[in-house]
Amino acid sequence: SSGGSEERTAVLLRTRPGAIMGTAAYMSPEQARGRPTDSRTDIWSLGIVLYEMLTGRRPFLGETQADLIVSVISSEPGPMSLHRAGRPPELEWVAAKALVKDASERYQAAKEIRADLDKIRKQIEFEKSTTRSGGSSGNEASAADVPVNIERAVPTDGDQAKPTSDGTNGRTRTD
């Protein structure tokens, strides 16, 4: 019969301009504000996932969904190296660029982030091959020594957060 559950569901799912929809932890600032979104919103969400995969934690936190949205809009994520040291700094740079608040300064297309990740993977593979062939003295740590699979960017189970003594991994933090 007509007027079934599909019609009631359709009424419930109608959106309106300015309505906020989505999972708060993965919302971009423009989405959290109810502003128009585009593919750069998806790049933001990918940046959140990359950050989580490399650190084991979310870049933005809040006790409630409202607090979380405020954090997304007004806070900057901490450097990934504070949560889990030993990752290639290039990966932190990629995640940071995906998480730029201003969408016009973020990656503009998924193919750009893919190209940067491919470059990082190739660099790591090159460093591994030169290390194996004796091109390194064995005293230097390189990105090839980092236990991370770039294809999936998943930290290994044995990884622990290991910040440097000053907690910055040699970087200055600007808040």
Side-chain angles (χ1 to χ4, degrees), residues 126-136 142 144-145:
F126 173 77
E127 289 177 9
K128 279 184 180 180
S129 71
T130 58
T131 300
R132 274 187 250 138
S133 66
S136 172
S142 72
D145 299 323

Side-chain angles (χ1 to χ4, degrees), residues 87-128:
R87 300 289 174 234
E90 297 86 357
L91 285 177
E92 185 167 347
W93 185 87
V94 168
K97 186 173 178 182
L99 293 175
V100 172
K101 304 267 188 219
D102 182 345
S104 67
E105 295 178 20
R106 202 177 296 152
Y107 283 103
Q108 299 300 294
K111 66 182 177 183
E112 294 174 3
I113 199 168
R114 170 72 189 260
D116 281 351
L117 290 172
D118 281 342
K119 288 176 193 172
I120 295 167
R121 180 183 48 80
K122 288 175 184 174
Q123 179 63 31
I124 289 171
E125 288 172 355
F126 173 77
E127 289 177 9
K128 279 184 180 180

